[in-house]
Amino acid sequence: MRRFFLEVYGCQMNRHEAGIVRRILSSAGYSETNDENEAEVLLMLTCSVRDHAEQRALGRLGDFRGLKERSPGRVVAVLGCVSQNLKSELSSDHGADLVIGPDGYRRLPEMLTSVLLSQPKTQDPKPKVGSPVFSLDQSAECYDGIMPVPESPACGSVTVMRGCDNYCSYCIVPYVRGRERSKPAEQVTMEARALLEQGVKEVTLLGQNVLAYRSNGTDFAGLLERVAALPGIARVRFLTSHPKDVTERFLKMIADTPNVCPALHLPLQSGSDRILGLMNRRYTRTEYLERVELARKLIPGLGLTTDIIVGFPGETDEDYAATLELVRTIGYHYAYMFRYSVRPGTASAQLGPAVPVAVAQERLERLIALQNDITRAHHRSFVGRRVELMVEAPAPRGGTMARTSDGTVVIVPGPVPVGTIRDFMVTSISGWTPVAGPAN
Ligand code: SAM
Ligand code: SF4
Protein backbone atom coordinates (compact mmCIF):
# COMPACT_ATOMS: atom_id res chain seq x y z
CA MET A 1 0.00 0.00 0.00
CA ARG A 2 1.40 3.40 -0.95
CA ARG A 3 1.52 6.10 1.72
CA PHE A 4 0.79 9.80 1.32
CA PHE A 5 1.64 12.81 3.47
CA LEU A 6 -0.72 15.80 3.20
CA GLU A 7 0.07 19.31 4.42
CA VAL A 8 -2.82 21.78 4.41
CA TYR A 9 -2.66 25.59 4.29
CA GLY A 10 -5.37 28.24 4.39
CA CYS A 11 -9.03 28.52 5.19
CA GLN A 12 -11.75 26.17 6.40
CA MET A 13 -12.64 25.47 2.76
CA ASN A 14 -9.16 23.99 2.27
CA ARG A 15 -9.44 21.90 5.45
CA HIS A 16 -12.73 20.57 4.09
CA GLU A 17 -11.17 19.85 0.69
CA ALA A 18 -8.36 18.00 2.44
CA GLY A 19 -11.12 15.58 3.55
CA ILE A 20 -12.13 15.11 -0.11
CA VAL A 21 -8.51 14.42 -1.11
CA ARG A 22 -8.18 11.93 1.78
CA ARG A 23 -11.36 10.13 0.70
CA ILE A 24 -10.24 9.96 -2.96
CA LEU A 25 -6.81 8.61 -2.04
CA SER A 26 -8.02 6.10 0.54
CA SER A 27 -10.61 4.79 -1.96
CA ALA A 28 -7.74 4.31 -4.42
CA GLY A 29 -5.79 2.21 -1.89
CA TYR A 30 -3.44 4.81 -0.39
CA SER A 31 -2.93 5.18 3.36
CA GLU A 32 -2.04 8.40 5.17
CA THR A 33 1.10 8.89 7.23
CA ASN A 34 1.95 11.80 9.52
CA ASP A 35 5.66 11.28 8.85
CA GLU A 36 6.77 12.87 5.60
CA ASN A 37 9.92 10.70 5.57
CA GLU A 38 7.78 7.57 5.18
CA ALA A 39 5.61 8.81 2.32
CA GLU A 40 5.98 7.95 -1.36
CA VAL A 41 3.56 10.76 -2.20
CA LEU A 42 4.11 14.24 -0.71
CA LEU A 43 1.07 16.46 -1.17
CA MET A 44 0.48 20.06 -0.26
CA LEU A 45 -2.93 21.74 -0.41
CA THR A 46 -2.16 25.41 -0.85
CA CYS A 47 -3.65 28.89 -0.35
CA SER A 48 -2.89 31.95 -2.48
CA VAL A 49 -5.12 34.57 -0.81
CA ARG A 50 -2.04 36.40 0.48
CA ASP A 51 1.54 36.38 -0.78
CA HIS A 52 2.80 35.18 2.62
CA ALA A 53 0.73 31.97 2.40
CA GLU A 54 2.03 31.34 -1.10
CA GLN A 55 5.66 31.88 -0.01
CA ARG A 56 5.26 29.51 2.96
CA ALA A 57 4.00 26.79 0.63
CA LEU A 58 6.89 27.37 -1.79
CA GLY A 59 9.34 27.13 1.14
CA ARG A 60 7.91 23.77 2.20
CA LEU A 61 7.99 22.63 -1.41
CA GLY A 62 11.77 23.09 -1.18
CA ASP A 63 11.80 20.67 1.81
CA PHE A 64 9.72 18.13 -0.13
CA ARG A 65 12.09 18.40 -3.09
CA GLY A 66 15.04 17.82 -0.72
CA LEU A 67 13.37 14.63 0.56
CA LYS A 68 12.83 13.48 -2.99
CA GLU A 69 16.45 14.15 -3.95
CA ARG A 70 17.64 12.08 -0.96
CA SER A 71 15.31 9.24 -1.82
CA PRO A 72 14.15 9.24 -5.45
CA GLY A 73 10.97 7.57 -6.62
CA ARG A 74 8.74 9.86 -4.58
CA VAL A 75 6.18 12.20 -6.06
CA VAL A 76 5.74 15.83 -5.01
CA ALA A 77 2.27 17.20 -5.78
CA VAL A 78 0.90 20.71 -5.32
CA LEU A 79 -2.89 21.02 -5.02
CA GLY A 80 -5.22 23.96 -4.49
CA CYS A 81 -5.15 27.66 -5.24
CA VAL A 82 -1.39 28.13 -5.71
CA SER A 83 -1.49 25.46 -8.45
CA GLN A 84 -4.16 27.41 -10.28
CA ASN A 85 -2.27 30.67 -9.75
CA LEU A 86 1.33 29.72 -10.56
CA LYS A 87 0.67 26.77 -12.89
CA SER A 88 3.78 25.50 -14.75
CA GLU A 89 6.11 27.71 -12.66
CA LEU A 90 5.59 25.14 -9.87
CA SER A 91 7.29 22.44 -11.92
CA SER A 92 9.81 24.55 -13.84
CA ASP A 93 11.04 26.62 -10.85
CA HIS A 94 10.04 24.57 -7.79
CA GLY A 95 10.30 20.93 -8.88
CA ALA A 96 6.66 19.82 -8.49
CA ASP A 97 5.84 16.58 -10.35
CA LEU A 98 2.11 17.12 -10.27
CA VAL A 99 0.15 20.39 -10.26
CA ILE A 100 -3.61 20.10 -9.65
CA GLY A 101 -6.05 22.98 -9.25
CA PRO A 102 -9.09 22.95 -6.93
CA ASP A 103 -11.33 21.28 -9.54
CA GLY A 104 -9.04 18.40 -10.48
CA TYR A 105 -8.89 16.08 -7.46
CA ARG A 106 -11.02 13.31 -8.96
CA ARG A 107 -8.14 12.58 -11.35
CA LEU A 108 -5.55 12.48 -8.55
CA PRO A 109 -5.12 8.63 -8.34
CA GLU A 110 -4.82 8.23 -12.11
CA MET A 111 -2.32 11.10 -12.36
CA LEU A 112 -0.30 9.84 -9.40
CA THR A 113 -0.01 6.42 -11.01
CA SER A 114 1.29 7.90 -14.22
CA VAL A 115 3.86 10.08 -12.41
CA LEU A 116 4.93 7.29 -10.03
CA LEU A 117 5.59 5.00 -12.98
CA SER A 118 7.72 7.65 -14.68
CA GLN A 119 9.90 8.41 -11.63
CA PRO A 120 13.57 7.30 -11.73
CA LYS A 121 14.06 4.78 -8.89
CA THR A 122 17.83 5.13 -8.37
CA GLN A 123 20.02 7.87 -6.99
CA ASP A 124 21.47 9.11 -10.22
CA PRO A 125 24.07 11.91 -9.85
CA LYS A 126 22.06 13.74 -12.51
CA PRO A 127 18.56 12.46 -11.86
CA LYS A 128 16.22 12.46 -14.82
CA VAL A 129 12.92 13.98 -13.88
CA GLY A 130 9.71 12.49 -15.27
CA SER A 131 7.44 14.93 -17.14
CA PRO A 132 5.31 16.99 -14.80
CA VAL A 133 1.54 16.47 -15.02
CA PHE A 134 -1.06 19.22 -14.77
CA SER A 135 -4.80 19.35 -14.12
CA LEU A 136 -5.87 22.97 -14.15
CA ASP A 137 -9.12 23.02 -16.12
CA GLN A 138 -11.81 24.91 -14.24
CA SER A 139 -15.13 23.12 -14.29
CA ALA A 140 -18.48 23.08 -12.51
CA GLU A 141 -16.98 20.55 -10.05
CA CYS A 142 -18.68 20.37 -6.64
CA TYR A 143 -17.39 16.88 -5.73
CA ASP A 144 -20.94 15.56 -5.46
CA GLY A 145 -20.93 11.94 -4.35
CA ILE A 146 -17.55 12.12 -2.56
CA MET A 147 -17.95 12.09 1.22
CA PRO A 148 -14.99 13.93 2.74
CA VAL A 149 -13.25 12.36 5.73
CA PRO A 150 -14.62 14.54 8.63
CA GLU A 151 -12.17 16.91 10.31
CA SER A 152 -13.14 15.79 13.79
CA PRO A 153 -15.45 13.15 15.30
CA ALA A 154 -17.91 15.81 16.53
CA CYS A 155 -17.77 18.52 13.83
CA GLY A 156 -18.10 18.13 10.09
CA SER A 157 -18.64 20.45 7.14
CA VAL A 158 -20.44 20.40 3.81
CA THR A 159 -19.48 22.68 0.94
CA VAL A 160 -22.74 24.12 -0.36
CA MET A 161 -21.22 26.23 -3.08
CA ARG A 162 -17.87 26.75 -4.75
CA GLY A 163 -16.22 29.64 -6.56
CA CYS A 164 -17.11 33.32 -6.27
CA ASP A 165 -18.52 35.96 -8.63
CA ASN A 166 -18.08 38.97 -6.38
CA TYR A 167 -14.71 40.16 -7.63
CA CYS A 168 -13.70 42.19 -4.60
CA SER A 169 -10.85 44.16 -6.15
CA TYR A 170 -8.10 42.75 -3.85
CA CYS A 171 -9.12 39.11 -4.02
CA ILE A 172 -7.67 36.26 -6.05
CA VAL A 173 -10.43 33.75 -5.17
CA PRO A 174 -12.63 34.32 -8.29
CA TYR A 175 -9.58 33.71 -10.50
CA VAL A 176 -8.32 30.55 -8.81
CA ARG A 177 -11.64 28.98 -7.79
CA GLY A 178 -13.75 29.85 -10.79
CA ARG A 179 -17.39 30.79 -11.18
CA GLU A 180 -19.96 30.55 -8.41
CA ARG A 181 -21.93 27.28 -8.44
CA SER A 182 -24.28 25.74 -5.90
CA LYS A 183 -24.61 22.12 -4.88
CA PRO A 184 -28.16 20.73 -5.19
CA ALA A 185 -30.03 20.91 -1.85
CA GLU A 186 -30.65 17.12 -1.92
CA GLN A 187 -26.89 16.52 -2.21
CA VAL A 188 -26.19 18.89 0.71
CA THR A 189 -28.75 17.20 2.97
CA MET A 190 -27.49 13.76 1.93
CA GLU A 191 -23.91 14.70 2.90
CA ALA A 192 -25.06 16.24 6.19
CA ARG A 193 -27.09 13.11 6.98
CA ALA A 194 -24.06 10.91 6.26
CA LEU A 195 -21.97 13.00 8.70
CA LEU A 196 -24.65 12.60 11.39
CA GLU A 197 -24.70 8.83 10.83
CA GLN A 198 -20.93 8.84 11.51
CA GLY A 199 -21.59 10.50 14.90
CA VAL A 200 -20.98 14.14 13.98
CA LYS A 201 -23.11 16.56 16.07
CA GLU A 202 -22.35 19.88 14.43
CA VAL A 203 -22.38 20.62 10.70
CA THR A 204 -20.92 23.78 9.13
CA LEU A 205 -22.19 24.79 5.68
CA LEU A 206 -19.34 26.31 3.67
CA GLY A 207 -19.02 28.68 0.72
CA GLN A 208 -17.18 31.92 -0.16
CA ASN A 209 -20.55 33.68 0.10
CA VAL A 210 -23.22 31.24 1.25
CA LEU A 211 -25.89 33.92 0.82
CA ALA A 212 -25.47 33.62 -2.97
CA TYR A 213 -26.65 29.98 -2.75
CA ARG A 214 -29.38 29.14 -5.30
CA SER A 215 -30.49 25.71 -6.42
CA ASN A 216 -33.83 24.83 -8.01
CA GLY A 217 -35.66 27.63 -6.22
CA THR A 218 -33.99 27.03 -2.83
CA ASP A 219 -32.03 29.95 -1.36
CA PHE A 220 -29.63 29.75 1.56
CA ALA A 221 -32.29 30.40 4.23
CA GLY A 222 -34.31 27.50 2.76
CA LEU A 223 -31.25 25.25 2.67
CA LEU A 224 -30.35 26.08 6.26
CA GLU A 225 -33.89 25.26 7.33
CA ARG A 226 -33.70 21.85 5.63
CA VAL A 227 -30.34 20.98 7.15
CA ALA A 228 -31.40 22.16 10.63
CA ALA A 229 -34.44 19.84 10.43
CA LEU A 230 -32.31 16.69 9.99
CA PRO A 231 -32.82 14.30 12.91
CA GLY A 232 -29.94 14.32 15.40
CA ILE A 233 -28.30 17.56 14.30
CA ALA A 234 -27.40 19.52 17.43
CA ARG A 235 -25.75 22.57 15.91
CA VAL A 236 -25.61 24.13 12.45
CA ARG A 237 -23.10 26.83 11.48
CA PHE A 238 -22.35 28.53 8.17
CA LEU A 239 -19.47 30.51 6.67
CA THR A 240 -19.06 33.16 5.06
CA SER A 241 -21.89 35.71 4.64
CA HIS A 242 -21.31 38.75 2.41
CA PRO A 243 -22.82 41.81 4.15
CA LYS A 244 -24.45 43.05 0.90
CA ASP A 245 -26.63 39.91 0.80
CA VAL A 246 -27.84 39.80 4.42
CA THR A 247 -31.65 40.00 4.53
CA GLU A 248 -34.19 40.24 7.34
CA ARG A 249 -35.73 36.90 6.27
CA PHE A 250 -32.33 35.22 6.67
CA LEU A 251 -31.70 36.78 10.09
CA LYS A 252 -35.21 35.81 11.29
CA MET A 253 -34.61 32.26 10.13
CA ILE A 254 -31.46 32.06 12.31
CA ALA A 255 -33.36 33.56 15.23
CA ASP A 256 -36.32 31.19 14.88
CA THR A 257 -34.37 27.94 14.46
CA PRO A 258 -32.97 26.81 17.82
CA ASN A 259 -30.17 24.60 16.48
CA VAL A 260 -28.83 27.21 14.02
CA CYS A 261 -26.05 28.81 16.07
CA PRO A 262 -26.42 32.54 16.77
CA ALA A 263 -23.11 33.34 15.06
CA LEU A 264 -22.41 35.49 12.04
CA HIS A 265 -19.06 35.99 10.31
CA LEU A 266 -19.60 39.26 8.48
CA PRO A 267 -16.40 40.52 6.86
CA LEU A 268 -16.17 44.32 7.12
CA GLN A 269 -12.80 44.76 5.30
CA SER A 270 -12.77 48.54 5.88
CA GLY A 271 -14.73 51.18 7.78
CA SER A 272 -14.18 53.83 5.10
CA ASP A 273 -16.77 54.28 2.35
CA ARG A 274 -14.07 55.44 -0.06
CA ILE A 275 -11.99 52.28 0.50
CA LEU A 276 -15.08 50.01 0.45
CA GLY A 277 -15.87 51.52 -3.00
CA LEU A 278 -12.31 50.86 -4.23
CA MET A 279 -12.59 47.32 -2.85
CA ASN A 280 -15.84 46.78 -4.83
CA ARG A 281 -17.59 45.55 -1.68
CA ARG A 282 -20.99 47.00 -2.67
CA TYR A 283 -22.09 48.24 0.75
CA THR A 284 -21.44 51.43 2.69
CA ARG A 285 -20.39 51.75 6.28
CA THR A 286 -23.94 52.88 7.16
CA GLU A 287 -25.54 49.89 5.40
CA TYR A 288 -23.13 47.54 7.17
CA LEU A 289 -23.92 49.05 10.54
CA GLU A 290 -27.67 48.88 9.89
CA ARG A 291 -27.39 45.15 9.15
CA VAL A 292 -25.38 44.57 12.31
CA GLU A 293 -27.98 46.44 14.36
CA LEU A 294 -30.82 44.44 12.78
CA ALA A 295 -28.96 41.16 13.34
CA ARG A 296 -28.35 42.02 17.01
CA LYS A 297 -31.98 43.03 17.47
CA LEU A 298 -33.34 39.84 15.92
CA ILE A 299 -30.78 37.33 17.25
CA PRO A 300 -30.19 37.61 21.01
CA GLY A 301 -26.65 36.68 22.10
CA LEU A 302 -25.31 36.96 18.54
CA GLY A 303 -21.61 36.10 18.18
CA LEU A 304 -20.28 38.52 15.59
CA THR A 305 -16.89 38.06 13.93
CA THR A 306 -15.23 39.72 10.95
CA ASP A 307 -12.27 40.09 8.55
CA ILE A 308 -10.46 43.41 8.11
CA ILE A 309 -7.74 44.49 5.69
CA VAL A 310 -5.48 47.46 6.49
CA GLY A 311 -3.08 49.22 4.13
CA PHE A 312 -5.26 48.91 1.03
CA PRO A 313 -3.77 51.12 -1.78
CA GLY A 314 -4.50 54.77 -1.06
CA GLU A 315 -5.73 54.16 2.52
CA THR A 316 -5.21 57.46 4.36
CA ASP A 317 -4.97 58.08 8.09
CA GLU A 318 -8.64 59.19 7.95
CA ASP A 319 -9.74 55.97 6.20
CA TYR A 320 -7.88 53.92 8.79
CA ALA A 321 -9.36 55.98 11.63
CA ALA A 322 -12.83 55.22 10.22
CA THR A 323 -12.04 51.49 10.45
CA LEU A 324 -10.85 51.80 14.06
CA GLU A 325 -13.93 53.79 14.95
CA LEU A 326 -16.31 51.22 13.46
CA VAL A 327 -14.47 48.34 15.16
CA ARG A 328 -14.83 50.18 18.49
CA THR A 329 -18.54 50.90 17.86
CA ILE A 330 -19.46 47.37 16.80
CA GLY A 331 -17.35 45.44 19.31
CA TYR A 332 -16.73 42.19 17.41
CA HIS A 333 -16.21 39.06 19.46
CA TYR A 334 -13.25 38.19 17.25
CA ALA A 335 -11.62 39.49 14.06
CA TYR A 336 -9.19 38.11 11.49
CA MET A 337 -7.01 41.08 10.59
CA PHE A 338 -4.65 41.30 7.61
CA ARG A 339 -2.18 43.63 6.01
CA TYR A 340 -3.12 44.15 2.36
CA SER A 341 -1.20 41.82 0.08
CA VAL A 342 -1.05 42.69 -3.60
CA ARG A 343 -2.23 39.80 -5.77
CA PRO A 344 -1.06 40.15 -9.37
CA GLY A 345 -3.95 39.98 -11.83
CA THR A 346 -6.56 41.41 -9.43
CA ALA A 347 -8.11 44.84 -10.04
CA SER A 348 -6.47 46.47 -7.02
CA ALA A 349 -3.01 45.48 -8.25
CA GLN A 350 -3.40 48.43 -10.66
CA LEU A 351 -4.29 50.87 -7.87
CA GLY A 352 -1.95 53.27 -6.14
CA PRO A 353 -0.40 54.73 -4.21
CA ALA A 354 0.73 51.76 -2.15
CA VAL A 355 0.79 52.26 1.62
CA PRO A 356 4.40 51.79 2.82
CA VAL A 357 4.85 48.39 4.49
CA ALA A 358 5.98 49.95 7.79
CA VAL A 359 2.87 52.16 7.92
CA ALA A 360 0.53 49.26 7.08
CA GLN A 361 2.25 47.06 9.69
CA GLU A 362 1.89 49.75 12.35
CA ARG A 363 -1.81 50.16 11.46
CA LEU A 364 -2.29 46.40 11.69
CA GLU A 365 -0.64 46.22 15.11
CA ARG A 366 -2.79 49.06 16.49
CA LEU A 367 -5.94 47.43 15.13
CA ILE A 368 -4.99 44.06 16.63
CA ALA A 369 -4.32 45.71 20.02
CA LEU A 370 -7.76 47.37 19.93
CA GLN A 371 -9.55 44.17 18.91
CA ASN A 372 -7.66 42.13 21.50
CA ASP A 373 -8.99 44.42 24.24
CA ILE A 374 -12.54 43.98 22.92
CA THR A 375 -12.18 40.20 22.65
CA ARG A 376 -10.74 40.00 26.19
CA ALA A 377 -13.66 42.01 27.58
CA HIS A 378 -16.09 39.68 25.76
CA HIS A 379 -14.37 36.64 27.26
CA ARG A 380 -14.40 38.17 30.75
CA SER A 381 -18.16 38.71 30.42
CA PHE A 382 -18.59 34.92 30.50
CA VAL A 383 -17.15 34.53 34.02
CA GLY A 384 -19.91 33.50 36.43
CA ARG A 385 -22.27 32.53 33.61
CA ARG A 386 -23.83 29.16 32.93
CA VAL A 387 -23.34 28.28 29.24
CA GLU A 388 -24.13 25.35 27.01
CA LEU A 389 -20.91 23.96 25.55
CA MET A 390 -20.19 21.39 22.91
CA VAL A 391 -16.93 19.55 23.47
CA GLU A 392 -14.96 19.53 20.21
CA ALA A 393 -11.49 18.10 20.85
CA PRO A 394 -8.71 17.63 23.41
CA ALA A 395 -7.08 21.07 23.94
CA PRO A 396 -3.50 21.38 22.67
CA ARG A 397 -2.18 22.43 26.10
CA GLY A 398 -4.22 20.02 28.23
CA GLY A 399 -7.88 19.79 29.13
CA THR A 400 -10.66 19.88 26.59
CA MET A 401 -11.66 22.44 23.98
CA ALA A 402 -15.34 23.29 23.82
CA ARG A 403 -17.41 26.01 22.16
CA THR A 404 -20.46 28.06 23.05
CA SER A 405 -23.19 28.34 20.42
CA ASP A 406 -22.03 31.92 19.68
CA GLY A 407 -18.65 30.49 18.66
CA THR A 408 -16.50 31.34 21.72
CA VAL A 409 -13.84 28.77 22.60
CA VAL A 410 -13.89 27.67 26.26
CA ILE A 411 -11.45 25.31 27.98
CA VAL A 412 -12.75 22.61 30.31
CA PRO A 413 -9.97 21.21 32.54
CA GLY A 414 -9.72 17.43 32.45
CA PRO A 415 -11.05 15.00 29.90
CA VAL A 416 -14.67 15.24 28.70
CA PRO A 417 -15.87 12.98 25.85
CA VAL A 418 -15.82 14.72 22.45
CA GLY A 419 -19.38 15.45 21.30
CA THR A 420 -20.71 16.07 24.83
CA ILE A 421 -23.25 18.90 24.86
CA ARG A 422 -24.28 20.22 28.25
CA ASP A 423 -24.24 23.21 30.56
CA PHE A 424 -21.02 24.27 32.28
CA MET A 425 -20.22 27.18 34.61
CA VAL A 426 -17.50 29.58 33.45
CA THR A 427 -15.30 30.17 36.49
CA SER A 428 -12.21 32.07 35.32
CA ILE A 429 -10.03 33.23 32.45
CA SER A 430 -6.72 31.58 31.59
CA GLY A 431 -4.56 33.79 29.37
CA TRP A 432 -7.55 35.17 27.56
CA THR A 433 -9.61 32.00 27.22
CA PRO A 434 -12.65 31.35 29.45
CA VAL A 435 -12.33 28.24 31.65
CA ALA A 436 -15.43 26.29 32.72
CA GLY A 437 -16.24 23.64 35.30
CA PRO A 438 -19.36 21.59 36.10
CA ALA A 439 -22.62 23.52 36.45
CA ASN A 440 -24.54 22.55 39.55
N1 SAM B 1 -15.34 34.85 0.82
C1 SAM B 1 -14.99 35.26 2.07
C2 SAM B 1 -15.33 36.72 2.25
O1 SAM B 1 -15.85 37.35 1.39
O2 SAM B 1 -15.09 37.21 3.32
C3 SAM B 1 -13.54 34.94 2.44
C4 SAM B 1 -12.52 35.22 1.43
S1 SAM B 1 -10.84 35.24 1.84
C5 SAM B 1 -10.36 33.60 1.69
C6 SAM B 1 -10.74 35.55 3.56
C7 SAM B 1 -10.26 36.93 3.88
O3 SAM B 1 -8.95 37.15 3.40
C8 SAM B 1 -11.06 38.06 3.28
O4 SAM B 1 -12.25 38.32 3.95
C9 SAM B 1 -10.09 39.22 3.36
O5 SAM B 1 -10.18 39.89 4.59
C10 SAM B 1 -8.73 38.52 3.29
N2 SAM B 1 -8.07 38.79 2.00
C11 SAM B 1 -8.47 38.43 0.78
N3 SAM B 1 -7.62 38.91 -0.16
C12 SAM B 1 -6.66 39.61 0.51
C13 SAM B 1 -5.52 40.35 0.12
N4 SAM B 1 -5.18 40.49 -1.17
N5 SAM B 1 -4.75 40.92 1.07
C14 SAM B 1 -5.07 40.78 2.39
N6 SAM B 1 -6.14 40.11 2.82
C15 SAM B 1 -6.93 39.52 1.89
FE1 SF4 C 1 -12.92 37.15 -2.35
FE2 SF4 C 1 -14.87 38.94 -2.17
FE3 SF4 C 1 -15.39 36.52 -3.19
FE4 SF4 C 1 -14.88 36.80 -0.57
S1 SF4 C 1 -16.62 37.66 -1.67
S2 SF4 C 1 -14.01 35.27 -1.95
S3 SF4 C 1 -13.36 38.44 -0.54
S4 SF4 C 1 -14.05 38.05 -4.08
Side-chain angles (χ1 to χ4, degrees), residues 130-190:
S131 312
V133 175
F134 296 89
S135 172
L136 295 167
D137 289 342
Q138 289 189 310
S139 65
E141 182 61 89
C142 271
Y143 296 108
D144 293 0
I146 298 178
M147 276 305 303
V149 174
E151 290 146 51
S152 94
C155 308
S157 53
V158 178
T159 296
V160 303
M161 56 183 305
R162 289 168 54 88
C164 183
D165 287 350
N166 283 318
Y167 289 94
C168 300
S169 65
Y170 50 81
C171 185
I172 201 167
V173 167
Y175 304 93
V176 291
R177 292 198 155 257
R179 299 284 59 74
E180 211 164 77
R181 62 262 184 198
S182 297
K183 192 178 262 185
E186 296 68 36
Q187 178 71 28
V188 172
T189 46
M190 197 266 278

Side-chain angles (χ1 to χ4, degrees), residues 19 54 57 60 98 113 149 170 203 279 299 311 326 329 344 351 415:
E54 213 165 83
R60 273 297 275 157
L98 197 55
T113 306
V149 174
Y170 50 81
V203 176
M279 286 178 162
I299 310 169
L326 203 50
T329 305
L351 291 176

Side-chain angles (χ1 to χ4, degrees), residues 11 13 47-51 163-164 166 168-173 207-210 239-243 265-269 279 281 306-310 312 336-343 346 348:
C11 62
M13 198 74 122
C47 168
S48 55
V49 166
R50 282 167 291 276
D51 182 59
C164 183
N166 283 318
C168 300
S169 65
Y170 50 81
C171 185
I172 201 167
V173 167
Q208 295 296 347
N209 173 20
V210 289
L239 204 68
T240 296
S241 318
H242 195 302
H265 185 68
L266 207 57
L268 167 67
Q269 312 300 2
M279 286 178 162
R281 288 293 285 177
T306 199
D307 295 345
I308 299 171
I309 299 174
V310 297
F312 188 81
Y336 298 89
M337 296 161 281
F338 311 105
R339 204 174 76 203
Y340 171 73
S341 167
V342 62
R343 304 285 55 217
T346 60
S348 69

Side-chain angles (χ1 to χ4, degrees), residues 179-365:
R179 299 284 59 74
E180 211 164 77
R181 62 262 184 198
S182 297
K183 192 178 262 185
E186 296 68 36
Q187 178 71 28
V188 172
T189 46
M190 197 266 278
E191 290 184 24
R193 211 178 284 116
L195 286 171
L196 297 170
E197 280 161 12
Q198 290 170 54
V200 160
K201 301 271 176 62
E202 175 184 295
V203 176
T204 301
L205 305 181
L206 293 176
Q208 295 296 347
N209 173 20
V210 289
L211 298 181
Y213 180 88
R214 295 284 176 284
S215 174
N216 284 332
T218 306
D219 66 0
F220 187 64
L223 182 73
L224 202 52
E225 207 163 12
R226 282 169 74 162
V227 172
L230 292 173
I233 193 158
R235 286 183 174 186
V236 188
R237 297 187 187 276
F238 53 89
L239 204 68
T240 296
S241 318
H242 195 302
K244 74 179 168 54
D245 296 323
V246 169
T247 60
E248 185 162 348
R249 167 173 132 73
F250 168 63
L251 296 173
K252 281 191 169 143
M253 200 260 129
I254 302 172
D256 294 343
T257 317
N259 59 355
V260 173
C261 290
L264 203 53
H265 185 68
L266 207 57
L268 167 67
Q269 312 300 2
S270 170
S272 150
D273 280 341
R274 200 178 66 81
I275 298 294
L276 286 172
L278 290 172
M279 286 178 162
N280 190 31
R281 288 293 285 177
R282 289 178 276 167
Y283 52 82
T284 62
R285 150 195 187 94
T286 307
E287 285 163 348
Y288 183 94
L289 201 48
E290 279 166 6
R291 274 156 219 185
V292 165
E293 282 164 4
L294 183 64
R296 284 189 162 152
K297 189 173 110 200
L298 295 173
I299 310 169
L302 177 73
L304 189 66
T305 54
T306 199
D307 295 345
I308 299 171
I309 299 174
V310 297
F312 188 81
E315 185 188 68
T316 60
D317 285 343
E318 290 71 41
D319 295 317
Y320 173 66
T323 300
L324 288 183
E325 200 261 323
L326 203 50
V327 166
R328 228 176 263 121
T329 305
I330 290 175
Y332 295 103
H333 288 181
Y334 189 80
Y336 298 89
M337 296 161 281
F338 311 105
R339 204 174 76 203
Y340 171 73
S341 167
V342 62
R343 304 285 55 217
T346 60
S348 69
Q350 316 297 325
L351 291 176
V355 174
V357 171
V359 173
Q361 183 60 29
E362 192 268 338
R363 286 181 184 169
L364 179 64
E365 285 166 16

